Every structure is written in structure tokens, then in C-alpha cells.
Amino acid sequence: MIIIMLLFSGCNSAASTTTGVTAADTGTETTKALTAVISPTSAIVVDPEFTERDLETIYEDSTATHVTLDGSNIQVTGDGAVASNGVLTITAEGTYVITGNLTDGQIVVAAADTDKIQIVLNGAAINCADNAPIYVKSANKVFVTLNAGTVNTLTDGTVYVQTDENTVDAVIFSKADLTLNGEGTLNITSIANHGIVSKDDLVITGGTYTIISANDALSGKNSVKIKDGIFNITCSSEGKGITSKNDEDTTKGYVYIAGGTITITKSYEGIEGTVIIVEGGTFDITAQDDGFNTASASASNDDVGEGNDPGGAGGGGGAMENDANCYLSIAGGTINLNASGDGLDSNGNLYISGGDITVSGPTNSGNGALDYNGIADITGGTVVISGSTGMAQGFSESSTQASLLYNLTSACEAGTEIKLTDDTGKTIASYTPDKTYQSVVISTPEMVQGSTYTLTCGSQTVDIPLTAVVTSNGQSGMGGPGQGGGQGGGTRPQ
């Protein structure tokens, strides 16, 4: 395990305004410390930086091109864009301020590969019955800014009619790098497709988003990076809340979240990527399958939804091989997962070095609240995980923070508190799961190897001496008595 601390120096603070022509993404990086654990076996290249242009929401209104939407009409005041038959086509670098209501039409960006475009939504509502309300066909980078105090709405129809060689399938669809920022609100409804898709990088640094999508809500082929924002996401039973996969480049396809508030009330999988790194934020995620899932682009839903068989040293192997390119790393944040499949799932390694994590995991024996194929190291943070016993895994012995895995003699009903106290009666950890559970995994910085703790789950109370950095004792679970010994593979009798 390698912990990499990187400090990136930024330039001076941004100017108070940027003009439409010169609002370029200079590549200057804001100061950022990457504290998450980076897997030494993964080829994924994670960029934790957000440029000053990603963060900049101020523009020079006097030099911007203003677009007024009025039913089926579009008025353009300024250069760089033309309107025809309900379609606004942007062809040149600049800032475009959009206001009004378009009942059936779209914004198309068809600029040079060197052009940077800023689209300012200033109280705009766009419905497109047969394509994406915003379609970025070509540009170097597009910034969608939500003006403070405004509510903006984008909606689509049930069937998209393709107009070129690209398969457009989202309310906002971009073939170029896409950044969303600002202090306004954006409401997106996709009846049969995705919410926001970038075939490059998708970056979000601010704003309030309500996304209702038939499929994925936020998708970036190369990456999804979130610095801040408020997200209320509802997907269909097949959709993923946030996802990044790249089937062409093994160095890309990651989700990096530094902050924000993310609520996913319905999804097939909550957050998915070849790599997921969380350094901050507040998460409340409900998933029909996995809460967090790291898997390669080639892995099928059947593969990533199955529980892993950790019979063997280190808790890997078995039903699925360890994918060295995948890992999940959590260094901070408050995370609450309610998953019918796996809670925290990595087809490779899993690292927890901080944060406050609770999981109400599966009730079936074919999935695990904690599920990994490589190692699962915990070096910090507070974790309380509940789920079924059939595929239960604990943390790996290579961890430096003490943890326990305990399988109860009988299942506890939903709403039954889990409480761990020390020998003075002080509560070390507590959590009330949303679903029935019989297996518990707990780790906190206050747990010390050699001490004895009392686990109380409803009417069941047991004293557990932490005999090792990872202690596993209780009823015989998957792998049989003696398997794993706290390495993530099964449990041994008391």
C-alpha cells in the first residue's frame, strides 16, 4: 500500500471578470492535496486538480453574446452563433448567455477543436422532443455556468433522431471536455436516456442539480470529477447515479469526488468506475445492486453484481480474479449506503483511510456488504457495516487500524441498533441499519488490539477480545471455521 501526498501550487487568485473571448482554460491548477490511497498496481491516472477556469463563474456581460428563447423563436444578439428552425448553433469561442423558454429545440456547439465555449444558463428552459437539449458536437472545452439565483430546466423526449455519426443519448451530451459550475439550479429530466454524458472528462465544481433519468445520471468516459455541488439523483432500475468507464484506454475511467452533497434515492448502482476516490462530501445512496462499485469496463453487470469468494489468503480470488486496475479509496466524507447488492464493492483493492461510513447491505447470501477481490486495508476512519452472512468479508490483516467481523447467532430486524462499547461502557460506534442483518464489520480509531469490546445488537450481546489487528469470530460463515482469520475470508467460531 502506498499513500501519496501531492501538493499542487496554483497561481494568483482569478480576476474579477473574464470576457467571452478570453475566458480560456489556462490549465492553471488550484491547490489540492491528494490524501487518498493510490493502488500501486493500477494503471489509472487520477488527476485531482480543478483549474481556475473550472471554478470561475464570473463573465463579462457586455462582451457576451445574448440569446433569448421565446417559444419556438430564438433571438441572437452578438457574434458567434446563429439560430434556425429552433436550433441555436454556436460556432466560435466566446460566452453565450441563454435566457427564456424554448418549447422544442436545442443548443448545438459546433466549434473548432481549439475553441473554449461558455454557456451561461440564466433562467433558461429547453425542451427537445427528439434529441439532446444541449449537444456539444465539437469544441476544445465547454463550460456550462448556472447563474446565481436562477432555475434552469432541460427535458427531452422518448426517442432521439440521430443527425450525424454520433449516437446522442443524453439531455446534455458532449464529445468534448465538459465542466458545469455556478451557483444556480439545473433540473434535468430524461425520459428514456441519460442525464449528462461527456465522452471525455466531466467536471462539476458547483451548482444544485436535480436529475431524473431513465439511465445513468452523470457519466464521463474518461472521468467524473466533482469538487462541490448539491445533487439529487433518481435513476431507473437500470441506471447508475455516477459512472465512469473507458473500454479503450486502461489509464482512464475514474470517479474522483472532493466534496459536495450527493443524494441518490434510486439507482441500479450508486457510484461506479474502474477507480473511485472519495476525499470528502456527504453521500446518501440507495442502490438496487452495489452502493460503490469498482470494475473494469469489460466487466458485465452480472460479474460486478455477484459476491466474491474470498477463500484464500488476503481475501481475494475465488469466483472472480483480482482486477489489479480497479480500486476504491475513501479518505474522507460522510457516507451512508443502502445496497441490495454489495455495499462497498471492489473487483480489485479497497482502501479506507478516513471518513465516516455506514452500510446497510444485502439481505441475501449472494452478496456482501463489504466485497473485494484483492486486499481491503483500513488505516483510518469510522466504519460500521451490516449485511448478510453468506458472503461476509472483513478487512485485511495488512490494515493498521483494528477492526472486527462478527456473525450473529440470529438475524436482527431492520431498525435494530448496532452498538460497540469499551470496558468502561463508552460507546465507540453505533448505527441503526435500514434492513435486516446478521453480519457486522466495525472499525474505528478508538479500537485497540488487546482490548475487549461489547457488541450489542438488540437482545444479542457478546464480549469480543481484539486478539489481532483484524478479529473475526462468531458463527461459522462462508469459508468454514478457521478460513481467513480476519483476512476477509469467512469467520471462525468463538
mmCIF file of all heavy atoms in Angstrom, residues 123-140:
data_model
loop_
_atom_site.group_PDB
_atom_site.id
_atom_site.type_symbol
_atom_site.label_atom_id
_atom_site.label_comp_id
_atom_site.label_asym_id
_atom_site.label_seq_id
_atom_site.Cartn_x
_atom_site.Cartn_y
_atom_site.Cartn_z
ATOM 1 N N GLY A 123 -31.730 31.383 -16.284
ATOM 2 C CA GLY A 123 -33.175 31.243 -16.262
ATOM 3 C C GLY A 123 -33.679 30.719 -17.589
ATOM 4 O O GLY A 123 -34.536 31.324 -18.225
ATOM 5 N N ALA A 124 -33.137 29.577 -18.029
ATOM 6 C CA ALA A 124 -33.468 29.001 -19.327
ATOM 7 C C ALA A 124 -34.200 27.681 -19.146
ATOM 8 O O ALA A 124 -33.882 26.886 -18.258
ATOM 9 C CB ALA A 124 -32.203 28.785 -20.149
ATOM 10 N N ALA A 125 -35.174 27.449 -20.020
ATOM 11 C CA ALA A 125 -35.887 26.177 -20.059
ATOM 12 C C ALA A 125 -35.901 25.703 -21.506
ATOM 13 O O ALA A 125 -36.395 26.411 -22.393
ATOM 14 C CB ALA A 125 -37.311 26.331 -19.532
ATOM 15 N N ILE A 126 -35.327 24.517 -21.749
ATOM 16 C CA ILE A 126 -35.223 23.989 -23.107
ATOM 17 C C ILE A 126 -35.772 22.575 -23.144
ATOM 18 O O ILE A 126 -35.328 21.699 -22.388
ATOM 19 C CB ILE A 126 -33.765 23.992 -23.603
ATOM 20 C CG1 ILE A 126 -33.169 25.405 -23.529
ATOM 21 C CG2 ILE A 126 -33.682 23.445 -25.023
ATOM 22 C CD1 ILE A 126 -31.687 25.449 -23.839
ATOM 23 N N ASN A 127 -36.724 22.347 -24.017
ATOM 24 C CA ASN A 127 -37.232 21.002 -24.272
ATOM 25 C C ASN A 127 -36.873 20.627 -25.702
ATOM 26 O O ASN A 127 -37.046 21.425 -26.630
ATOM 27 C CB ASN A 127 -38.751 20.943 -24.098
ATOM 28 C CG ASN A 127 -39.295 19.562 -24.469
ATOM 29 O OD1 ASN A 127 -39.092 18.589 -23.757
ATOM 30 N ND2 ASN A 127 -39.987 19.487 -25.600
ATOM 31 N N CYS A 128 -36.343 19.424 -25.868
ATOM 32 C CA CYS A 128 -36.054 18.913 -27.202
ATOM 33 C C CYS A 128 -36.738 17.560 -27.339
ATOM 34 O O CYS A 128 -36.399 16.616 -26.612
ATOM 35 C CB CYS A 128 -34.553 18.794 -27.442
ATOM 36 S SG CYS A 128 -34.126 18.417 -29.163
ATOM 37 N N ALA A 129 -37.681 17.464 -28.244
ATOM 38 C CA ALA A 129 -38.515 16.265 -28.331
ATOM 39 C C ALA A 129 -37.780 15.075 -28.923
ATOM 40 O O ALA A 129 -38.138 13.925 -28.628
ATOM 41 C CB ALA A 129 -39.766 16.567 -29.164
ATOM 42 N N ASP A 130 -36.739 15.308 -29.744
ATOM 43 C CA ASP A 130 -36.128 14.183 -30.456
ATOM 44 C C ASP A 130 -34.599 14.189 -30.427
ATOM 45 O O ASP A 130 -33.968 13.501 -31.219
ATOM 46 C CB ASP A 130 -36.609 14.148 -31.904
ATOM 47 C CG ASP A 130 -36.307 15.432 -32.659
ATOM 48 O OD1 ASP A 130 -35.636 16.317 -32.081
ATOM 49 O OD2 ASP A 130 -36.739 15.550 -33.827
ATOM 50 N N ASN A 131 -33.996 14.951 -29.498
ATOM 51 C CA ASN A 131 -32.542 14.962 -29.396
ATOM 52 C C ASN A 131 -32.165 15.616 -28.073
ATOM 53 O O ASN A 131 -33.020 15.876 -27.223
ATOM 54 C CB ASN A 131 -31.909 15.685 -30.580
ATOM 55 C CG ASN A 131 -30.500 15.201 -30.892
ATOM 56 O OD1 ASN A 131 -29.533 15.680 -30.308
ATOM 57 N ND2 ASN A 131 -30.381 14.240 -31.798
ATOM 58 N N ALA A 132 -30.866 15.888 -27.906
ATOM 59 C CA ALA A 132 -30.381 16.495 -26.669
ATOM 60 C C ALA A 132 -30.669 17.991 -26.650
ATOM 61 O O ALA A 132 -30.360 18.683 -27.628
ATOM 62 C CB ALA A 132 -28.883 16.269 -26.524
ATOM 63 N N PRO A 133 -31.220 18.524 -25.577
ATOM 64 C CA PRO A 133 -31.387 19.977 -25.478
ATOM 65 C C PRO A 133 -30.065 20.732 -25.616
ATOM 66 O O PRO A 133 -30.035 21.816 -26.193
ATOM 67 C CB PRO A 133 -31.998 20.162 -24.089
ATOM 68 C CG PRO A 133 -32.724 18.876 -23.833
ATOM 69 C CD PRO A 133 -31.872 17.814 -24.466
ATOM 70 N N ILE A 134 -28.973 20.153 -25.101
ATOM 71 C CA ILE A 134 -27.639 20.733 -25.314
ATOM 72 C C ILE A 134 -26.746 19.639 -25.879
ATOM 73 O O ILE A 134 -26.511 18.614 -25.228
ATOM 74 C CB ILE A 134 -27.039 21.308 -24.021
ATOM 75 C CG1 ILE A 134 -27.898 22.462 -23.490
ATOM 76 C CG2 ILE A 134 -25.609 21.791 -24.266
ATOM 77 C CD1 ILE A 134 -27.381 23.079 -22.203
ATOM 78 N N TYR A 135 -26.236 19.863 -27.085
ATOM 79 C CA TYR A 135 -25.404 18.887 -27.791
ATOM 80 C C TYR A 135 -24.094 19.550 -28.186
ATOM 81 O O TYR A 135 -24.059 20.466 -29.002
ATOM 82 C CB TYR A 135 -26.149 18.374 -29.018
ATOM 83 C CG TYR A 135 -25.349 17.516 -29.966
ATOM 84 C CD1 TYR A 135 -24.245 16.770 -29.555
ATOM 85 C CD2 TYR A 135 -25.717 17.433 -31.317
ATOM 86 C CE1 TYR A 135 -23.533 15.984 -30.440
ATOM 87 C CE2 TYR A 135 -25.016 16.638 -32.216
ATOM 88 C CZ TYR A 135 -23.913 15.924 -31.776
ATOM 89 O OH TYR A 135 -23.197 15.138 -32.654
ATOM 90 N N VAL A 136 -23.008 19.097 -27.574
ATOM 91 C CA VAL A 136 -21.676 19.600 -27.910
ATOM 92 C C VAL A 136 -21.075 18.637 -28.920
ATOM 93 O O VAL A 136 -20.613 17.547 -28.578
ATOM 94 C CB VAL A 136 -20.779 19.716 -26.671
ATOM 95 C CG1 VAL A 136 -19.383 20.212 -27.068
ATOM 96 C CG2 VAL A 136 -21.410 20.641 -25.642
ATOM 97 N N LYS A 137 -21.086 19.066 -30.168
ATOM 98 C CA LYS A 137 -20.571 18.221 -31.254
ATOM 99 C C LYS A 137 -19.060 18.343 -31.371
ATOM 100 O O LYS A 137 -18.357 17.354 -31.591
ATOM 101 C CB LYS A 137 -21.253 18.607 -32.564
ATOM 102 C CG LYS A 137 -20.879 17.739 -33.740
ATOM 103 C CD LYS A 137 -21.673 18.130 -34.982
ATOM 104 C CE LYS A 137 -21.319 17.250 -36.158
ATOM 105 N NZ LYS A 137 -22.103 17.609 -37.382
ATOM 106 N N SER A 138 -18.556 19.572 -31.214
ATOM 107 C CA SER A 138 -17.110 19.785 -31.306
ATOM 108 C C SER A 138 -16.725 21.069 -30.592
ATOM 109 O O SER A 138 -17.439 22.065 -30.665
ATOM 110 C CB SER A 138 -16.655 19.846 -32.768
ATOM 111 O OG SER A 138 -17.305 20.902 -33.451
ATOM 112 N N ALA A 139 -15.608 21.021 -29.900
ATOM 113 C CA ALA A 139 -15.020 22.166 -29.193
ATOM 114 C C ALA A 139 -13.808 21.636 -28.455
ATOM 115 O O ALA A 139 -13.596 20.420 -28.348
ATOM 116 C CB ALA A 139 -16.006 22.801 -28.222
ATOM 117 N N ASN A 140 -13.000 22.543 -27.934
ATOM 118 C CA ASN A 140 -11.906 22.123 -27.064
ATOM 119 C C ASN A 140 -12.436 21.793 -25.677
ATOM 120 O O ASN A 140 -12.138 20.743 -25.113
ATOM 121 C CB ASN A 140 -10.844 23.218 -26.977
ATOM 122 C CG ASN A 140 -9.710 22.845 -26.039
ATOM 123 O OD1 ASN A 140 -9.758 23.165 -24.847
ATOM 124 N ND2 ASN A 140 -8.702 22.161 -26.554
#
